[in-house]
Each structure stands twice: as structure tokens, then as C-alpha cells.
Amino acid sequence: KTYGTVQSVMEPALTAQYALKKKIRESWEAVEQDLEGQAVKFFMRFIELSPASLQLFSFKDASSLPSHPGLKRHSLLVLQTIGQLLSTSTDAELMAPALGAMGERHAKYGVQSDQMELMCEALLWTVARCLGTRCDPDVENAWREAYAKVALHMMAPNVV
């Protein structure tokens, strides 16, 4: 009887978590079809949302930002990292130490919590562009929820 009670409580939560991960994995596949191109668009969108953030990067004075090798490398690394973290079955809680260390590095560069939020908006914009009409509120909410968990571990207590 106890197993049945535990199962009845846990099963809906696990099913919902699985459904979120599945939505993220499936939509990530659309982004991966042109990862390098999407990475630059993603990062340019972030800079559009947060122009002051450009000052944090070595390529801040580049005349042609989208084609700058440093921006291309960094944007690809950022998008790959976010996508892999969110689209795998690994829980953010299990990655907390690594995410905390990443947050500590970003805090040293001067990254602020509002920039992390704008990075999420750029990510959602990128996913929506890749999915087109297949991007629905459930997909957006799945990405937003997963990103929030990762960002929480990165920001606390590192980023202000």
C-alpha cells in the first residue's frame, strides 16, 4: 500500500519532468541543425537586449561584430553549453558545483543577474526562430523553467 501511495504522488511529477525534458530535447535538435549560425544570432540578440554587456568582452571594439572570430567562438561555446545543460537528462542540482564555479568566473567578469535574465530571453528568441510555428507556450515554458534552475545555481551567491 505504501508503494502505491508513493507512486501516486511521484508519478505525475516525474511524468511532467519527463515531458519538459522531451520538449527541450526535441526543440534543441532544431537549433542544432545550424548551431554555428544560430549561436551568432543568439549572441547578437543578447547584445541587442543588453548593449552594455558588450563591454565585458574582448571583441567589444570589433568593427564587424557578427563575423568576428572571438564572438563566433564565444557565442558557439555559450549556446552549446546552455543547450547541452538543458537538453540532457542531468538535473541542475547535480551540476550545482560546476554551475557555481561557472557563476563565480562570470561574477569576476562583472556579469549581473539582469544579464542572465536577458540571456534567457535571447535563448528563447533563438529557439522560437528555429521552431517557427512549432514553438508554443509549453516549449517556451519548458526552456524558461530549465534555464531558471541553471541560472539560479550560477548566480547564487556569485552574481549580483
Side-chain angles (χ1 to χ4, degrees):
K1 184 173 179 170
T2 304
Y3 174 76
T5 303
V6 170
Q7 184 180 15
S8 69
V9 171
M10 294 296 293
E11 193 170 327
L14 293 174
T15 302
Q17 184 178 16
Y18 174 78
L20 288 175
K21 287 288 188 182
K22 184 176 181 197
K23 285 187 178 295
I24 292 170
R25 264 194 317 276
E26 289 172 351
S27 54
W28 177 243
E29 290 172 4
V31 176
E32 282 184 312
Q33 289 178 9
D34 178 25
L35 191 58
E36 289 181 20
Q38 294 307 324
V40 170
K41 291 173 188 169
F42 155 75
F43 210 78
M44 293 305 297
R45 178 64 177 164
F46 171 66
I47 296 301
E48 182 181 309
L49 294 170
S50 180
S53 295
L54 183 57
Q55 297 308 306
L56 300 172
F57 300 98
S58 61
F59 45 80
K60 64 185 173 203
D61 297 322
S63 58
S64 179
L65 207 49
S67 62
H68 189 277
L71 179 132
K72 286 181 171 184
R73 268 191 311 277
H74 189 75
S75 63
L76 183 58
L77 177 65
V78 170
L79 190 58
Q80 278 180 319
T81 301
I82 292 171
Q84 291 302 315
L85 276 170
L86 301 186
S87 67
T88 63
S89 59
T90 305
D91 288 330
E93 289 76 20
L94 295 175
M95 296 294 298
L99 292 171
M102 190 183 305
E104 189 175 310
R105 283 192 309 275
H106 282 75
K108 288 178 184 175
Y109 300 135
V111 173
Q112 310 259 322
S113 61
D114 63 324
Q115 292 164 312
M116 296 290 290
E117 292 167 17
L118 293 172
M119 185 68 67
C120 181
E121 294 308 314
L123 175 65
L124 295 173
W125 177 86
T126 303
V127 170
R129 284 179 40 91
C130 291
L131 290 178
T133 58
R134 295 177 298 150
C135 187
D136 60 25
D138 288 341
V139 170
E140 183 177 321
N141 289 336
W143 277 95
R144 190 178 298 279
E145 183 178 317
Y147 182 90
K149 288 178 184 177
V150 168
L152 178 68
H153 289 293
M154 279 186 68
M155 290 188 300
N158 301 306
V159 181
V160 294

